[in-house]
Amino acid sequence: MVMEQGLSSQSRLILTGLGALLVSAAASSIAGVYLGSAREVLALIPGLMVLLPSIIDMRGNIAGVLASRLSSSMHLGEFSIDFEEGSVLGDNVRASFVITVLIAFVLGIFAYAASLLSGLPTVSITDLVLISVTSGIVSGLLVMGITLLIALISYRYGLDLDMIGAPTVTTSGDVVTLPILVLSAVFVMYLPPWTRLALGVAVVAVAVAVIVYTRRRSEGIGTIVGENLSFLIPLSVLGTLAGLTYSLNLDALVTIAAFLILIPPFTGCLGSIGGILGSRLSTGMHTGELNPSFLPERGVVHHFIISYLYTLILLPLLALIAHGAAVLMGLNSPGLGMLVIISLAAGLVVMTLVNGVAYATASLSFRYGLDPDNFGIPVITSLIDLIGAAALVTVIGLLL
């Protein structure tokens, strides 16, 4: 009887995750279709494609950390619906906004530097930073609102936030951030040069203001911001390199636009799967159900198998959607069969690496007294951005 209840509970968790991932796949495909339709903008505003993966990734990372921290606080009985400073919810929301502003500022600088060093054409550093911060703040507030809504619903109805948080926030990051980034870029580039310069100065002032705000609150908010920035800024390099990888192959991606349509759901869904894995490992170590041993134990391997199962179910579906959208939009596609093979080959390579990195990140951070909630999702999704880009481009080059 106990075994049957355990199996029923496991099945319910797996199906909950799969349901969230299917919704994530559908929503991420909408972002992919939008990216395919915006291919001319990517070509006309140099540097934008370099910025795109990193800013979408960081949006999901920041919201993912927020969801993971809130989930752990629910499991530990520390969560309450209180937005006052000093409360778990209040401090995490304030810290997430500060991180959003500072990371967006850094991403614009990274994208400009990467374009310059690689010899790619780019707009000015002021324009890229302004585009990054504008889209980052607007999309950040929207995604944070969605994350809070999901967290409060989970708390109210007793749902497992680990299983629905990562898919929801990474998908909302894709769907919300991509059009806002494109619209922000077009808006900024239409402004007169002197207006762009003045707004650039204002952005620097805002960045300084949030740094001063954080330094005056060393406890709670300051601790969260400091710990997150210490690894989110280095991880931003991975997203920028992913954007650089796509930019160097932009002509091929624009020519066979089905690949552009595939990119957001491919990286988004793999990020969601990895996010679920990271959240489950983090919660398991917080509650003592999993041990941060050198080699993964049986319970961890069970989570790995579930991740592969999700991958095998979702990637062919994403290829089908990308191919169908390309055909309906009159865009080029390599064919459904080839698109399925490419997505599965690249996806399984990515997921194999992600399983190892997710476990290493959770166990090492927990073993050294750090909060794995802060590290799991950002490390996983940033890694997926880079190795996903490299795997897709490599498999495309080998098979076409």
Side-chain angles (χ1 to χ4, degrees), residues 4 18 26 46 60 111 144 167 191 208 228 249 286 342 386:
E4 288 179 0
L18 181 59
M144 192 187 304
L191 294 174
V208 171
N228 277 267
N249 295 272
H286 273 303
I342 289 172
L386 180 56

Side-chain angles (χ1 to χ4, degrees), residues 109-155:
I109 296 173
F110 281 4
Y112 178 79
S115 299
L116 210 61
L117 291 173
S118 62
L120 290 173
T122 179
V123 295
S124 71
I125 186 170
T126 302
D127 293 339
L128 269 183
V129 169
L130 192 54
I131 291 168
S132 181
V133 173
T134 302
S135 61
I137 290 176
V138 175
S139 60
L141 291 173
L142 290 172
V143 175
M144 192 187 304
I146 293 169
T147 306
L148 289 176
L149 179 62
I150 295 298
L152 295 177
I153 291 173
S154 299
Y155 180 69

